[in-house]
Amino acid sequence: MSESGRAASRTAVLVCQGRAAANGRVATERFADPVATELLRVAERTAVDEVRANTPPKGWRERTAYESVRACADVVVPRTVAIDEALRARMTGQFVVLGAGLDTRAWRLPGLAQTDVWEVDHPASQQDKRARLADAAPALRAPDAGSRLAAELPAVARSVRFTPVDLAVDDLGAALDAAGHDPSSPTTWLWEGVVPYLTRDQVRTTVAALAARTAPGSTLVVNYQAPSAKAAAGRLLTRVLGSSITSGEPWRSLWKPERMAALLAEYGLRVVSDDDLLALAHTLGGPARVRASLRSSRVAVANRA
Ligand SMILES: C[S@@+](CC[C@H](N)C(=O)[O-])C[C@H]1O[C@@H](n2cnc3c(N)ncnc32)[C@H](O)[C@@H]1O
C-alpha cells in the first residue's frame, strides 16, 4: 500500500502474466516479451507456468487464476502486436507511456537507443514496478571487477524517467515538465489498458494535457474499450465466480470509436486508424477464445492534425 492509501495495480500484474504466458508460445513471428516474466514475483509465475504447460490446476482459486491468465494472454498478444507495430513505425526521440504498469517496452523494444522514455503511472503502481525492476537486476560481471549489482534491470532505451502521476488528481503537464519532457519536440504517446479505469472527465483532462505537449510529428497510440453487452456479462461472471483480481479496479468509461475520435479531434488530434483486436487475433492464429473482449478492445492511432 502506498502513502496515498491505494495499492499497486493488480491488473498491471495480470496483463504482465498474460504476456509472460504467451512469450515464445503464441504468434512467435510477431509477438515476443521475454522481459515480462522477469517482473513477476515467484507466486505470480505459478499460473503462468501452468498456462504455458497447458495444465489447469485442481483447486477453485488456482483454477480461477489460471483461467484469468489464459484469457488475458488471448487479449494481450494481439494488443501488444498492434501497438508494437504502430510504435515502431512512429517512434520519436521522446516516448511517454501513460499508466505504464509493468510495460516492458523500454527494456525490450528494438530501436529505442535514441529515445528517452517517460513512464507515467499512479505512484503506488510505479513504486511496485521499481521494486520489481531492482529485484530483476542481473549481477553484471566485469572481467576485472568481479561482480556487482545493477540498481535496476538495464533498459534498451536511452533513458527511463519514472514520473509518478495520479491521472485522477495530478497535473500531468506539470509532472512531465518537471521530469524534463520537451513539449516542443515530437513525442510518441502510448496509453494502453488505462482508459477504462478513468472517468470520462479524467480521460478528457488527460487528452487535453497530452495534446498541449504534442508537437507536429507526434503520435498518440491509445487502447480503449468500446461498449459491449457480451464483454460486460463475461466480466460480471468472472467477478461472481470469485476472481478478485480486477474487482478493486472497476471500469469507469467505455468509448464508442466515433466519440473517442471526436474527443481527440477537439484537441487537434486526428485519428488515422482505429481497429478492434478480433481480426488481428485471427491473423495471428491464436485461439481467439475471448471473442467479445477482442471485439470491444480497440487500438487507435492519432496524429497532430
Ligand atoms: C491494466 S493496467 C495496464 C498497464 C500497462 N499499460 C499495460 O498495458 O501493461 C492499468 C494501469 O493503469 C494505471 N492507472 C489506473 N488508474 C490510474 C490513475 N488514476 N493514474 C495513473 N495511473 C492509473 C494503473 O496503475 C495500471 O498501471
Side-chain angles (χ1 to χ4, degrees), residues 6 9 11 15 19 79 99-101 121-122 125 165-167 192-193:
R6 175 167 158 166
S9 168
T11 58
V15 283
R19 291 191 296 260
R79 183 167 113 182
D121 206 349
H122 190 280
S125 302
V165 175
D166 182 342
L167 295 169
E192 177 188 12

Side-chain angles (χ1 to χ4, degrees), residues 96-137:
V96 179
V97 186
L98 297 168
L102 301 180
D103 187 287
T104 56
R105 292 183 175 87
W107 291 267
R108 71 163 174 82
L109 204 64
L112 293 186
Q114 303 304 317
T115 297
D116 297 309
V117 178
W118 283 260
E119 285 228 336
V120 173
D121 206 349
H122 190 280
S125 302
Q126 191 157 88
Q127 207 178 335
D128 176 57
K129 181 177 195 171
R130 298 199 72 174
R132 289 166 185 266
L133 285 166
D135 291 345

Side-chain angles (χ1 to χ4, degrees), residues 62-253:
E62 292 79 6
R63 183 62 189 254
T64 306
Y66 171 94
E67 294 298 343
S68 300
V69 171
R70 194 173 75 140
C72 188
D74 289 354
V75 174
V76 292
V77 169
R79 183 167 113 182
T80 304
V81 169
I83 291 172
D84 284 1
E85 293 181 358
L87 291 174
R88 269 196 217 108
R90 296 167 179 87
M91 192 46 72
T92 58
Q94 303 192 108
F95 178 32
V96 179
V97 186
L98 297 168
L102 301 180
D103 187 287
T104 56
R105 292 183 175 87
W107 291 267
R108 71 163 174 82
L109 204 64
L112 293 186
Q114 303 304 317
T115 297
D116 297 309
V117 178
W118 283 260
E119 285 228 336
V120 173
D121 206 349
H122 190 280
S125 302
Q126 191 157 88
Q127 207 178 335
D128 176 57
K129 181 177 195 171
R130 298 199 72 174
R132 289 166 185 266
L133 285 166
D135 291 345
L140 295 181
R141 210 167 268 290
D144 51 351
S147 71
R148 64 189 172 82
L149 280 180
E152 286 184 351
L153 190 68
V156 297
R158 181 164 56 191
S159 70
V160 183
R161 303 172 196 192
F162 293 98
T163 313
V165 175
D166 182 342
L167 295 169
V169 292
D170 296 332
D171 182 337
L172 173 63
L176 284 171
D177 253 341
H181 174 257
D182 176 6
S184 65
S185 294
T187 299
T188 307
W189 302 91
L190 171 60
W191 201 8
E192 177 188 12
V194 188
V195 168
Y197 302 104
L198 302 175
T199 64
R200 296 189 95 75
D201 282 351
Q202 291 161 0
V203 171
R204 173 178 287 278
T205 304
T206 305
V207 169
L210 74 86
R213 312 182 65 84
T214 296
S218 301
T219 297
L220 166 67
V221 179
V222 54
N223 160 240
Y224 66 97
Q225 294 297 127
S228 151
K230 267 194 186 167
R235 218 177 138 75
L236 182 66
L237 185 66
T238 314
R239 225 184 283 169
V240 170
L241 290 179
S243 169
S244 60
I245 296 167
T246 55
S247 61
E249 295 168 65
W251 279 4
R252 297 189 162 97
S253 73

